[in-house]
Amino acid sequence: MERELVEQAQRGDQEAFAALVELAADRLYSIAYRILRDPARADDALQNALIAMWQRLPELRDPDRFEAWTYRMIVRASYREAEQARGLQVRARRLGILSPREQAGPLDRIASRDELDRAFRELTPEHRAVIVLRHFVGLPIAAIAETLEIPVGTAASRLHYAARHLRAAFEAEAHGVVAWRHPA
Amino acid sequence: MNREEAFEVQLARWLEEGPYEAPSEPVVAALAHVRAHPGRPRTFGSLWRHAMSGIGLTHVPSQPHRGWLAAAAVIAVAAIVIVGGYGLFNLGGQAGPAAGPTPTPTAPAPSPTATAGADMATGTQSCATTTEGVTTTVNEVVQSRGEVLECTNTSSDPRLAGAATIGYNWDEHPDGLWLGWGTAELQNEGGTWSGRYAVTSTSTAGAMEFDSLWGGSDGYEGLEVLNHVRITSRYTTIRSWVLEVGPALTGTERCTTTTSGREFSVGDVTAYRGVRVTCTDRMDDPRVSGTTKLEFSIDMRADESADMWGGITLTNELGSWEGFFFGTVDAGYTTHHAQSLLRGTGEYEGLLYRLEMVSPDGVNAELSGEIIAAGGAPEQAG
């Protein structure tokens, strides 16, 4: 069914494309939101990814690879949104000062969640993407590499680095270590 | 459960938090865009425009399409400023008095920069159209004039919250270039913020971001507010820094019209498009002295009052300033007024230059302005 819709959309059938969007939008938004951690930018990433999908769908050689291909499109769109956000933050921060992190609260799940959120925001978009594709979407390393069009070794390296960074934050929280917070 | 397993469980739980359902706005906007551009490859129009053609834009219930555009511009409410197309007066291509040599900037001078240390406020804006603009198509450019919006601004700084009235004009070119400009006024119990704004967009993205500057009065005298506005199909957010007005820079400008542009009539309006002017600016701060080039449009009415708007670039040896200006000419084609807010590049990266121009004859102008450090406060941590 999906393959037929993809083939029809590749030939310019807008209704078929709309049906594909209906099937994919929730999944793609979920990924964008988790990479960007910002609903407004996730909105923009989804919108841009859907338009890019329409434009580039004829380039998809194997219609059965549509789902993986959509992951690539939403990750790319998320990268662009993250880049825009980073530019703004760098500019706004130029004259700024850093604030000490508030004292960590008691060891509970909320504290760990906050610490994960802080550590995740410190990662680059590329590292965030591998975490989301691995631990949220559930893709194996090889599929992540194919989706992101990077070597398997690079995907594994990014995943290792990102997981280590998050784990350190998680364990620091568990041991009551107080760090200094970087601006978001 | 060992530590590694505990971490992975915690990570998975954390990732599971958050939405699983896509909002309708970006989906509808994307599909509307596809309908409008069925071919491949296609040229992007202004994507943000299509974002409006859909639905559910809560802040513009009556006319989501144009209202959203307006909201975008409004946000800008800012009082952009600057310089002007003197060329307007000299459509025949006359030069002003011979321009003297451009002052050479020797270094980024320690002159006035307003801002450092200002606290950042965050807020939102929602708008509804109360007066529809008049829309026409001239030479394939869709033009809207005279739209009015009533907006509600919220802010973490109570001085920036209140009711805003926005005058809104825009042009959309066939290649997707979009220009918006107008006036804005925000009032609350403490005083009034007002000014002009201008915004350009060629972006295919769903968001527009720009800076704008408002001046204070009726209680906010001596203050101005720098806004960084971000507009998407769902949200308008404003990051603001309230500043004391910096020491005024002053100077003069002389201009030569290099291209008179195309002239045509639409009703009782005589329109000029593609007018180009080159000016020499001599300010008391070398950072904003140099050669200014403007390319702009003019709409002149029967009483010979006019609106003018377009792009402006000021260049000297250390860098350049780029922006958009908006101006008017009094009836009888007499005094010209223009404002702009320019962003610095090169050695001036990170600075904004607010410029105002008044010219009694369209040839020689008096300039005033200030340099502002863009982003006067730290980003709020996570």
Side-chain angles (χ1 to χ4, degrees):
Chain A
M1 177 60 179
E2 184 172 278
R3 180 186 176 91
E4 289 180 11
L5 289 173
V6 172
E7 290 174 339
Q8 291 169 7
Q10 285 182 311
R11 292 191 294 268
D13 186 332
Q14 295 181 30
E15 294 307 315
F17 182 73
L20 289 171
V21 168
E22 179 73 20
L23 293 172
D26 288 347
R27 182 176 64 236
L28 299 181
Y29 181 76
S30 297
I31 293 171
Y33 177 86
R34 284 160 177 82
I35 293 174
L36 294 164
R37 313 302 296 182
D38 181 325
R41 293 197 184 276
D43 282 8
D44 293 344
L46 175 62
Q47 183 170 313
N48 292 331
L50 294 176
I51 291 174
M53 284 165 53
W54 169 252
Q55 293 179 294
R56 302 189 63 178
L57 195 54
E59 300 172 15
L60 176 63
R61 294 180 180 177
D62 181 359
D64 289 331
R65 306 290 302 161
F66 176 74
E67 182 174 336
W69 180 76
T70 64
Y71 293 158
R72 181 180 308 159
M73 305 305 281
I74 193 66
V75 169
R76 286 179 177 173
S78 298
Y79 285 172
R80 286 192 291 272
E81 283 300 314
E83 182 62 30
Q84 289 186 13
R86 185 164 55 186
L88 173 63
Q89 289 168 358
V90 167
R91 186 175 66 77
R93 219 165 49 211
R94 181 168 295 133
L95 299 178
I97 55 175
L98 302 183
S99 300
R101 171 185 175 278
E102 294 178 357
Q103 183 68 33
L107 285 180
D108 56 20
R109 182 164 173 270
I110 292 177
S112 298
R113 187 177 58 206
D114 290 346
E115 199 62 20
L116 273 175
D117 185 74
R118 181 193 63 77
F120 189 82
R121 290 174 187 274
E122 291 174 349
L123 294 172
T124 66
E126 290 79 8
H127 287 104
R128 296 182 190 188
V130 294
I131 287 289
V132 170
L133 292 175
R134 179 71 187 95
H135 292 282
F136 179 69
V137 180
L139 296 182
I141 291 291
I144 293 172
E146 182 181 347
T147 296
L148 300 179
E149 294 183 302
I150 57 177
V152 172
T154 301
S157 173
R158 287 182 185 176
L159 183 61
H160 175 74
Y161 172 87
R164 187 178 61 186
H165 181 77
L166 296 176
R167 189 183 304 112
F170 177 72
E171 292 178 351
E173 184 68 31
H175 291 86
V177 175
V178 176
W180 285 72
R181 168 179 288 177
H182 295 288
Chain B
M1 183 183 299
N2 62 33
R3 287 167 53 191
E4 180 65 21
E5 290 170 339
F7 164 69
E8 296 210 352
V9 168
Q10 187 71 22
L11 178 59
R13 284 178 179 168
W14 179 75
L15 287 168
E16 286 169 2
E17 296 173 358
Y20 281 82
E21 184 176 345
S24 62
E25 289 87 349
V27 174
V28 170
L31 292 177
H33 186 82
V34 168
R35 284 194 298 274
H37 302 86
R40 296 163 170 148
R42 33 153 290 281
T43 54
F44 275 118
S46 298
L47 177 56
W48 51 269
R49 290 216 55 203
H50 297 290
M52 317 172 302
S53 63
I55 14 219
L57 300 176
T58 55
H59 55 285
V60 197
S62 58
Q63 282 238 336
H65 180 93
R66 218 175 308 153
W68 191 77
L69 277 176
V74 170
I75 302 173
V77 175
I80 296 190
V81 200
I82 279 215
V83 170
Y86 307 49
L88 180 49
F89 320 100
N90 274 334
L91 293 176
Q94 279 33 253
T102 301
T104 301
T106 54
S111 60
T113 38
T115 81
D119 292 330
M120 184 179 73
T122 57
T124 64
Q125 183 178 64
S126 58
C127 300
T129 298
T130 55
T131 301
E132 295 293 338
V134 176
T135 301
T136 56
T137 300
V138 179
N139 287 357
E140 298 185 330
V141 176
V142 181
Q143 303 181 338
S144 176
R145 299 290 183 270
E147 184 167 342
V148 178
L149 298 99
E150 297 295 336
C151 307
T152 299
N153 285 31
T154 66
S155 177
S156 58
D157 185 334
R159 294 174 296 179
L160 304 177
T165 301
I166 309 298
Y168 177 44
N169 309 288
W170 55 265
D171 285 356
E172 183 176 20
H173 294 250
D175 62 359
L177 172 66
W178 180 85
L179 309 174
W181 68 94
T183 58
E185 183 174 276
L186 170 67
Q187 290 186 316
N188 56 37
E189 293 181 353
T192 300
W193 303 99
S194 61
R196 292 173 176 153
Y197 67 87
V199 55
T200 63
S201 175
T202 56
S203 172
T204 59
M208 293 200 318
E209 298 190 39
F210 54 93
D211 296 306
S212 66
L213 195 66
W214 314 5
S217 61
D218 299 334
Y220 297 139
E221 289 86 355
L223 299 177
E224 57 190 3
V225 58
L226 172 64
N227 301 294
H228 184 87
V229 180
R230 174 179 164 81
I231 303 169
T232 74
S233 56
R234 297 183 73 196
Y235 309 102
T236 294
T237 56
I238 307 176
R239 300 179 183 192
S240 306
W241 294 264
V242 176
L243 315 165
E244 292 184 3
V245 175
L249 306 175
T250 58
T252 60
E253 183 177 67
R254 293 177 177 176
C255 298
T256 300
T257 301
T258 56
T259 303
S260 297
R262 290 171 289 110
E263 176 182 343
F264 55 91
S265 296
V266 180
D268 62 355
V269 173
T270 303
Y272 301 87
R273 297 292 182 267
V275 180
R276 294 182 181 179
V277 171
T278 299
C279 308
T280 298
D281 290 11
R282 301 172 64 88
M283 297 289 284
D284 51 15
D285 186 321
R287 293 178 295 182
V288 287
S289 293
T291 300
T292 294
K293 293 188 175 181
L294 307 109
E295 180 168 352
F296 58 102
S297 300
I298 301 166
D299 280 355
M300 185 167 64
R301 292 172 282 272
D303 66 354
E304 294 190 326
S305 64
D307 294 328
M308 54 186 180
W309 65 97
I312 174 173
T313 303
L314 166 62
T315 304
N316 57 40
E317 292 180 359
L318 294 181
S320 64
W321 303 86
E322 299 175 356
F324 182 86
F325 79 90
F326 168 83
T328 59
V329 185
D330 294 344
Y333 218 59
T334 52
T335 303
H336 293 51
H337 313 264
Q339 305 85 35
S340 185
L341 185 66
L342 297 100
R343 176 164 290 282
T345 62
E347 291 289 333
Y348 310 130
E349 184 73 35
L351 299 178
L352 297 174
Y353 174 34
R354 177 183 65 80
L355 176 62
E356 299 195 35
M357 178 280 287
V358 178
S359 172
D361 56 9
V363 174
N364 298 292
E366 298 294 327
L367 305 181
S368 62
E370 65 179 322
I371 296 174
I372 299 168
E379 180 80 1
Q380 295 299 304

